[in-house]
Amino acid sequence: MLSNSLGPNPTDEEANPDKYWNAMHGANSTNIHTHGLHVDPAVDNVGIVVKPGGTWQYNLTIPMDHAPGLHWYHSHKHGASALQVMGGLVGAIYVDPPENTTEKAFLLLKTLQRVLLVAHHFSINSINNSTDPFRVRTFADLSSISNLPINPQFQNSSYQDVYFVNGQFQPKLRFSTNQEIILDILNAVGDHVLELDIREQVQGASITEKCNMTQIASDGVYFNSTRPRSFVALLPSSRTSVVVSCSVPGTYYLTNVPDTALRPDITANETRFQQSLVTLVVTTNSSYTAPTTSVAATLDLASIQRPVYLTDMTTSAATAALNGSWELGVEQPSPGENLPWMANGKTWLGLGANCTLFSTGRADDGATPADANALCDYRPFPGQLGADSALSRHVAPASGAVVRATVNGRGQSAHSVHVH
């Protein structure tokens, strides 16, 4: 049950919602949206709005064959999600294996300590927009455009742009020498890539050789085999599970310092944020006896039974029935632009087999043929429900699966796309 006990929204925003389609509005209304769960989209519906004083019952039915793993939820109320997610309206969801499982991999994993790390970005006022094609909203920025008073006050103004982990700034995690622990890490943001490794100094020059990191799952899905890593990268909203151990006592730092030597193709957006997220305190514990065999070295993930939605694209019979390749077209007017096809400044979205620039179905701008809608259903999108108020306005048909999606943009401006 989601219960909203916040104060009322501004009267004008409630009375004239069309006026605020693509602007901050309804900051005291909210909802819940999940990532990774294979549940009914009519229940996990981002169009639901729980206004101040209201409640909403979410009944999410988890399939019996759902893949065990780490997923998450967050506020997805359009017009307020930047403020609410940054403010901490996020959380992790575990789908556990059956209690009576006999799967050896899960039985081995149960012998290890498991630690959940929910990382979320809190930007006060310090963002270098020159390194990011999409504007990252800060608390100061949101305060200036909100019709509700935010006016944040901070006791220490030196921290302008930080990551919190489980609501704490650089928390400490203690474990024993040679003890293997599982770190379930969630990058609960919409604006930052994390590239995590373990170092012996805060923002040290090199990765430590005294600790090992083995990746076993990504986005709630266990791999077929373990993957030793020197670092793990997490896109916004992604999750990973890694087995970590350190052979020498000491203090180490789980750090986001993108390393251009490891990844020469790294972008400016990835390098702009650098911080130690968690301090790892490794001690010699006389009461702890490390097992003679490493779990990470012996873990057999290939035997884990996969649900049908993870196997239907790996068999030749199923592959023949797939829809194949689909494309998205995205357009949004730049400041000062005013062309007929812009539909009063709304964003346009298209979905179809061909959504390239010349197949977007907008005959009225003189650039595309009128019959192009057969290839790309292209309509104005007000930011929440779509042109005809259908919640499934831009959803692929359920008759098969999309194996590849191509996103097309028009013009010089960049456009952010959130795809499920």
Side-chain angles (χ1 to χ4, degrees), residues 210-251:
K210 300 173 183 176
C211 299
N212 296 317
M213 186 161 52
T214 302
Q215 192 176 22
I216 60 174
S218 178
D219 290 339
V221 179
Y222 284 96
F223 299 143
N224 287 326
S225 60
T226 58
R227 302 179 183 182
R229 298 294 196 198
S230 56
F231 71 95
V232 290
L234 289 92
L235 297 174
S237 84
S238 65
R239 295 86 67 201
T240 192
S241 296
V242 293
V243 178
V244 170
S245 65
C246 298
S247 59
V248 178
T251 301

Side-chain angles (χ1 to χ4, degrees), residues 1-5 30-32 43 48 50-51 53-60 73 89:
M1 171 73 75
L2 174 61
S3 178
N4 187 347
S5 59
T30 191
N31 61 14
I32 288 177
V43 178
I48 293 170
V50 184
K51 295 183 178 182
T55 61
W56 189 267
Q57 180 71 45
Y58 286 90
N59 295 308
L60 299 173
Y73 65 90
L89 287 182

Side-chain angles (χ1 to χ4, degrees), residues 153-192:
Q153 303 294 319
F154 306 100
Q155 291 185 346
N156 189 338
S157 60
S158 63
Y159 293 99
Q160 294 287 302
D161 189 12
V162 299
Y163 253 90
F164 289 117
V165 176
N166 298 345
Q168 303 172 69
F169 180 62
Q170 297 180 336
K172 291 183 179 181
L173 175 59
R174 301 177 185 274
F175 56 100
S176 300
T177 308
N178 294 318
Q179 178 185 358
E180 292 179 305
I181 62 173
I182 302 173
L183 301 184
D184 290 321
I185 307 171
L186 160 60
N187 189 19
V189 303
D191 57 11
H192 272 307

Side-chain angles (χ1 to χ4, degrees), residues 40-378:
D40 185 351
V43 178
D44 185 5
N45 180 350
V46 298
I48 293 170
V49 177
V50 184
K51 295 183 178 182
T55 61
W56 189 267
Q57 180 71 45
Y58 286 90
N59 295 308
L60 299 173
T61 302
I62 308 298
M64 290 298 294
D65 69 340
H66 200 292
L70 174 63
H71 310 288
W72 74 295
Y73 65 90
H74 64 90
S75 163
H76 203 305
K77 192 274 173 186
H78 292 174
S81 59
L83 172 67
Q84 294 180 2
V85 170
M86 194 188 310
L89 287 182
V90 301
I93 299 175
Y94 276 108
V95 176
D96 291 328
E99 291 185 1
N100 59 349
T101 182
T102 59
E103 172 56 57
K104 185 177 180 181
F106 292 138
L107 295 177
L108 274 175
L109 291 174
K110 283 184 177 181
T111 66
L112 303 183
Q113 177 186 355
R114 198 152 203 154
V115 180
L116 173 64
L117 302 176
V118 178
H120 87 276
H121 179 218
F122 191 94
S123 175
I124 299 172
N125 196 33
S126 177
I127 283 289
N128 179 7
N129 286 307
S130 66
T131 63
D132 191 344
F134 310 120
R135 184 170 186 173
V136 177
R137 297 291 188 180
T138 69
F139 250 74
D141 184 20
L142 294 170
S143 182
S144 68
I145 63 176
S146 173
N147 292 321
L148 284 174
I150 298 176
N151 303 322
Q153 303 294 319
F154 306 100
Q155 291 185 346
N156 189 338
S157 60
S158 63
Y159 293 99
Q160 294 287 302
D161 189 12
V162 299
Y163 253 90
F164 289 117
V165 176
N166 298 345
Q168 303 172 69
F169 180 62
Q170 297 180 336
K172 291 183 179 181
L173 175 59
R174 301 177 185 274
F175 56 100
S176 300
T177 308
N178 294 318
Q179 178 185 358
E180 292 179 305
I181 62 173
I182 302 173
L183 301 184
D184 290 321
I185 307 171
L186 160 60
N187 189 19
V189 303
D191 57 11
H192 272 307
V193 175
L194 288 178
E195 185 177 295
L196 300 177
D197 55 42
I198 301 176
R199 307 197 181 199
E200 295 182 44
Q201 293 86 32
V202 176
Q203 298 182 1
S206 60
I207 298 171
T208 183
E209 296 182 354
K210 300 173 183 176
C211 299
N212 296 317
M213 186 161 52
T214 302
Q215 192 176 22
I216 60 174
S218 178
D219 290 339
V221 179
Y222 284 96
F223 299 143
N224 287 326
S225 60
T226 58
R227 302 179 183 182
R229 298 294 196 198
S230 56
F231 71 95
V232 290
L234 289 92
L235 297 174
S237 84
S238 65
R239 295 86 67 201
T240 192
S241 296
V242 293
V243 178
V244 170
S245 65
C246 298
S247 59
V248 178
T251 301
Y252 305 91
Y253 302 91
L254 184 66
T255 302
N256 178 52
V257 182
D259 193 330
T260 55
L262 290 173
R263 290 179 59 200
D265 60 338
I266 203 165
T267 66
N269 184 35
E270 291 172 272
T271 60
R272 76 177 190 177
F273 185 86
Q274 301 184 3
Q275 179 191 310
S276 172
L277 267 64
V278 179
T279 301
L280 307 177
V281 181
V282 182
T283 59
T284 300
N285 185 348
S286 59
S287 63
Y288 173 77
T289 302
T292 56
T293 305
S294 163
V295 170
T298 59
L299 191 61
D300 180 14
L301 300 175
S303 62
I304 295 177
Q305 184 175 355
R306 311 290 167 172
V308 63
Y309 58 81
L310 292 180
T311 59
D312 60 1
M313 288 188 290
T314 61
T315 63
S316 58
T319 303
L322 296 178
N323 290 40
S325 176
W326 280 77
E327 297 192 353
L328 284 168
V330 184
E331 298 189 26
Q332 185 170 343
S334 298
E337 282 188 300
N338 186 19
L339 298 176
W341 53 268
M342 289 182 177
N344 299 320
K346 298 184 181 72
T347 300
W348 286 67
L349 292 178
L351 176 68
N354 186 348
C355 286
T356 53
L357 180 60
F358 297 105
S359 301
T360 51
R362 293 179 290 94
D364 54 354
D365 71 347
T368 57
D371 60 355
N373 268 324
L375 299 175
C376 184
D377 188 4
Y378 204 76

